Amino acid sequence: MKQPMTGAACRLSAIEQTDSPKLRVAAYIRVSTTLDIQENSFEVQERYYTDLIRSNPDWRMAGIYADNGVTGTCKERRTGFQRLMRHCEEGKIDRVLCKSLSRFARNTLDTLDAVRRLKNLGIPVFFEKENLDSLSVQSEFVLSTIAAIAQEESRSISENTRVAYKHRSAAGQLPMVRILGYRVSRAGKRGPQTVAIDPDEAEAVRFIYRSYIDGARLTDIADELIDQGRRNVHGEIAWSGAMVRAVLLNEKYTGDYRSQKTYTADYLTHRVKMNRGEVEQRVIENHHEAIIDRKTWNEAQLLMLHPHAWRTTGNTYPFTGRLHCACGANYQRSNSQSRFRWICGKRDRKSVV
């Protein structure tokens, strides 16, 4: 079978006319989504670079570093890229191969920073599509230009995605994620997404609302769910007051769908923030079958407005107010995952007794 990008082997082979020990060559590959067509591309790249490196008598395989289904705009989320850079700095790699500059990174600053760090180590990066070696004299200007174009493409994709989401929201076609009480299918070639009530989980949801309206505290409800052997959305018999509160606050149990509860504040860092009016929201009524009637929902929400409604525990434990963290905050009792622990009140979960 004919290999893709066959010209690269000839170009790179000509560079390495030397009697020195074999170069330790690594390749970095990345695809930004997990769609089937991109998964095939990922496998093709991995197989291609493995064959390319091993077929060159002057090279020795130093590894294939990969990020599958990860955006190139934020290096912190790319574990394969971080591992590549670390191994380069540890002296384990002599040369890096990459299909294109956009696969290497879609953030101009990240691209230039990484290339310069490797350049200071004497490690070149060869971008096949651009036929560019990062150690060449003209590479700095070319890299800056191409990296800026790649970043702009990423911004355009982000904007198009945002507009598409807005149109789907207006048409009431937003997909629903899996939550307790519902079985959700993925939309595909066979048809649109389906949302069906799970009888056992729906009974747990109804129990939560009934108990809360009858005056039970959030942690008491969580303890009772554990005693009943009720499983959470992850299939585990593990409940906490915070998990119960999340069920009580989710409008989807009335059959409605409120869009854009969160939004991406920066297309480069992909930092997600709670939407407090910065982005337009829509409420799609009767989006799916309801588990909780609106009268019960409204009654629960009114109770949530009470000053003590969000307290998950009372001052009923022997150590309440007596255990203090080094930061000065009091420890609070928690029964997360069916285990009782005392945790720093500032939620520093490293501080546990």
Side-chain angles (χ1 to χ4, degrees), residues 297-334:
W297 161 262
N298 291 333
E299 191 172 352
Q301 303 316 299
L302 286 174
L303 288 173
M304 280 285 181
L305 296 176
H306 192 277
H308 300 295
W310 290 54
R311 288 176 57 184
T312 58
T313 62
N315 296 320
T316 58
Y317 304 109
F319 295 107
T320 298
R322 299 181 180 181
L323 295 177
H324 308 285
C325 180
C327 70
N330 290 336
Y331 275 100
Q332 296 178 357
R333 190 173 185 267
S334 168

Side-chain angles (χ1 to χ4, degrees), residues 66-78:
D67 288 305
N68 195 2
V70 182
T71 177
T73 57
C74 184
K75 64 182 179 181
E76 284 75 16
R77 297 191 177 194
R78 295 190 286 153

Side-chain angles (χ1 to χ4, degrees), residues 208-218 221 245 248-249 294-311:
I208 290 173
Y209 276 83
R210 287 197 306 267
S211 301
Y212 185 69
I213 291 173
D214 288 342
R217 294 181 309 190
L218 301 182
I221 298 173
R245 181 194 305 158
L248 291 168
L249 290 174
R294 295 188 186 278
K295 179 181 177 182
T296 302
W297 161 262
N298 291 333
E299 191 172 352
Q301 303 316 299
L302 286 174
L303 288 173
M304 280 285 181
L305 296 176
H306 192 277
H308 300 295
W310 290 54
R311 288 176 57 184

Side-chain angles (χ1 to χ4, degrees), residues 252-300:
K252 292 184 178 66
Y253 293 115
T254 66
D256 294 346
Y257 188 119
R258 181 160 57 92
S259 68
Q260 210 72 63
K261 291 182 180 179
T262 60
Y263 69 99
T264 302
D266 189 332
Y267 77 97
L268 289 177
T269 63
H270 294 268
R271 185 165 58 94
V272 176
K273 296 179 63 176
M274 292 296 299
N275 185 3
R276 306 188 187 281
E278 295 88 348
V279 178
E280 180 185 7
Q281 290 185 324
R282 291 179 182 271
V283 176
I284 305 171
E285 296 184 348
N286 303 316
H287 178 270
H288 52 274
E289 187 177 358
I291 294 177
I292 301 299
D293 62 80
R294 295 188 186 278
K295 179 181 177 182
T296 302
W297 161 262
N298 291 333
E299 191 172 352

Side-chain angles (χ1 to χ4, degrees), residues 18 51-52 93 139-140 161 176 179 196 213-214 346:
T18 177
D51 294 342
L52 175 64
I93 298 171
S139 65
E140 183 81 7
T161 302
M176 183 168 161
I179 62 171
I213 291 173
D214 288 342
K346 291 186 178 180

Side-chain angles (χ1 to χ4, degrees), residues 16 22 29 33 38 50 98 100 126 175-176 212 214 228 241 256 294 321 347:
E16 313 299 347
K22 290 184 177 182
I29 57 180
T33 70
Q38 294 239 37
T50 299
C98 190
S100 69
F126 185 79
M176 183 168 161
Y212 185 69
D214 288 342
Q228 293 178 8
D256 294 346
R294 295 188 186 278
R347 293 300 185 269

